[in-house]
Amino acid sequence: MGLFSSEIKTMDDLFVHTLRDIYYAENQITKALPKMIEKATNPQLKQGFEQHLQQTEGHIRNLDEVFKMMDKEAKGVDCPAIDGIIKEANEVAGEVDDKDVLDAALIAAAQAVEHYEITRYGTLITWAQQMNRKDCAEVLKRNLAEEKATDEKLTQMAESRVNVKAMQ
Amino acid sequence: MGLFSSEIKTMDDLFVHTLRDIYYAENQITKALPKMIEKATNPQLKQGFEQHLQQTEGHIRNLDEVFKMMDKEAKGVDCPAIDGIIKEANEVAGEVDDKDVLDAALIAAAQAVEHYEITRYGTLITWAQQMNRKDCAEVLKRNLAEEKATDEKLTQMAESRVNVKAMQ
C-alpha cells in the first residue's frame, strides 16, 4: 500500500489510499494479462484470460467512478503485494517448458491475483458501507462479483481439464 | 514462486515447488505476526493474531508432514508475493498513528495474507487429489480450513466493531 503517516489519519484517508492500491493493481494486471494470454496453451484458458482483460479494463473505469464520487484524483500508489504476485506469475510464464504444466501454473498464478483483488474489494466495500457511502459500495460490489466469478471459473478449469491433461 | 525451468518439468515438480512457496510464506508469517500483535490495540484483534501465530506454527508442522509424505526435503523458496504482502502490512503497522484506523488497516493486511494462503492451499489440494495423493490433500485441507476460519473471523471483526470505532 505504500502508506505514509502524513496521508493516513482517518478511515476516509485509509479508504482512498486502499482505492489507489487496487487502482494500481488493476492497471498492473492489464499489463500482465497479455503475457499470460500469449503463454497459455489451452484455448479455454486463453479465452478466459482474454475475457478477464476486458473485465479488468471495466474495473478500472468503475474505480474512476468511485474516485469521482469521493471527489478524489484517480491515481495509483505503489503496491508491493501485487508487484510480488505478478513477479511470481511472470516467472512461471517464462520458466516452465511443458505446455500443460505451464497452463496449470498460470491458473494458480491467476488465482493468486484474483484472491488479492477479492480481499481488497471486500475490505473496501465494508469500509464504504460503514462510512455510509453505499454509492461507492455498489460500484465496488460489481468488481468484486466479477473477480469472484473469474476465480470460480479458474477453479473449475484447474479441477476439470487443464491439470488432468498435465498428469497424463 | 521463484521458479526455474531446470526444476519444474512435471506436475509433481510444480506441486513440490508450490509447497516450498507456501512453506516460505508460513515461516515469514510467523516473523510478521509478532509485530502485528504488538501494534494492534483492540484486545480481540490482538488475541486473534496471537491465536493465529500458534496456528501458523501448526501449519508449518503439517507442511513438514506433507514433505515427508512426498519424500522431499522441507525447505522454502523465495516467494515475492508474500514478501510484498508482508511489506505492505509492515508499512501499515509503522505508519498509521490513529489506533483505531491502524486496527482497521491491520485487519485488511491480515486478510490479504489469509487470501494468499487460501489460494495456494486450494491449488495444492486440487493438484494433490489429481496426483492421487489423498494423504497430502487431507493434511493440506486442515491448513486451508484454519486459514478460511481466520479470514472469516477477521471479516466479522472488521464488520462489527473495529472499523465502527474508527469512524466515531
Side-chain angles (χ1 to χ4, degrees), chain A residues 1-3 14-29 63 67 75-83 116-117 119-121 124, chain B residues 84 88 91-92 112:
Chain A
M1 251 191 255
L3 298 165
L14 186 61
F15 178 80
V16 172
H17 199 98
T18 307
L19 210 55
R20 288 180 172 157
D21 173 279
I22 194 72
Y23 193 73
Y24 172 89
E26 293 280 19
N27 276 287
Q28 293 308 105
I29 292 162
L63 288 173
F67 280 114
K75 63 174 186 178
V77 287
D78 277 353
C79 168
I82 201 69
D83 285 342
Y116 183 73
E117 297 187 281
T119 189
R120 287 290 178 232
Y121 283 122
L124 283 166
Chain B
E88 283 197 16
E91 281 173 357
V92 177

Side-chain angles (χ1 to χ4, degrees), chain A residues 1 5 88 127 130 163, chain B residues 1 5 88 95 127 130 163:
Chain A
M1 251 191 255
S5 55
E88 284 198 13
W127 290 345
Q130 290 171 345
N163 290 351
Chain B
M1 253 190 253
S5 55
E88 283 197 16
E95 304 293 350
W127 290 345
Q130 290 171 344
N163 291 351

Side-chain angles (χ1 to χ4, degrees), chain A residues 70 125-137, chain B residues 167:
Chain A
M70 295 294 294
I125 290 163
T126 300
W127 290 345
Q129 285 167 336
Q130 290 171 345
M131 291 158 68
N132 290 317
R133 293 304 306 247
K134 286 188 184 167
D135 54 341
C136 298
Chain B
M167 304 286 162

Side-chain angles (χ1 to χ4, degrees), chain A residues 1 14 119-120 123 126-127, chain B residues 36 40 42 44-46 49 89 92 100-115 150-164:
Chain A
M1 251 191 255
L14 186 61
T119 189
R120 287 290 178 232
T123 292
T126 300
W127 290 345
Chain B
M36 294 174 81
N42 181 292
Q44 194 194 353
L45 180 59
K46 214 181 247 291
F49 284 155
V92 177
D100 296 321
V101 177
L102 177 56
D103 277 354
L106 285 171
I107 289 177
Q111 289 198 282
V113 171
E114 289 313 304
H115 270 272
T150 298
D151 181 56
E152 185 52 41
K153 250 193 244 173
L154 289 164
T155 296
Q156 283 168 13
M157 272 191 249
E159 285 177 353
S160 63
R161 51 175 73 192
V162 180
N163 291 351
V164 174

Side-chain angles (χ1 to χ4, degrees), chain A residues 41-107:
Chain A
T41 301
N42 180 294
Q44 194 193 352
L45 180 60
K46 212 181 250 292
Q47 195 189 359
F49 284 154
E50 280 163 358
Q51 191 194 347
H52 194 59
L53 178 56
Q54 288 185 329
Q55 283 182 337
T56 303
E57 287 159 358
H59 296 171
I60 293 169
R61 287 193 296 274
N62 287 345
L63 288 173
D64 283 327
E65 201 180 327
V66 179
F67 280 114
K68 263 189 205 161
M69 287 169 172
M70 295 294 294
D71 201 22
K72 296 284 179 187
E73 186 191 351
K75 63 174 186 178
V77 287
D78 277 353
C79 168
I82 201 69
D83 285 342
I85 291 166
I86 290 174
K87 192 178 171 196
E88 284 198 13
N90 284 339
E91 283 174 353
V92 177
E95 303 294 349
V96 181
D97 288 333
D98 182 279
K99 293 292 178 195
D100 296 321
V101 177
L102 177 56
D103 276 354
L106 285 171
I107 290 177

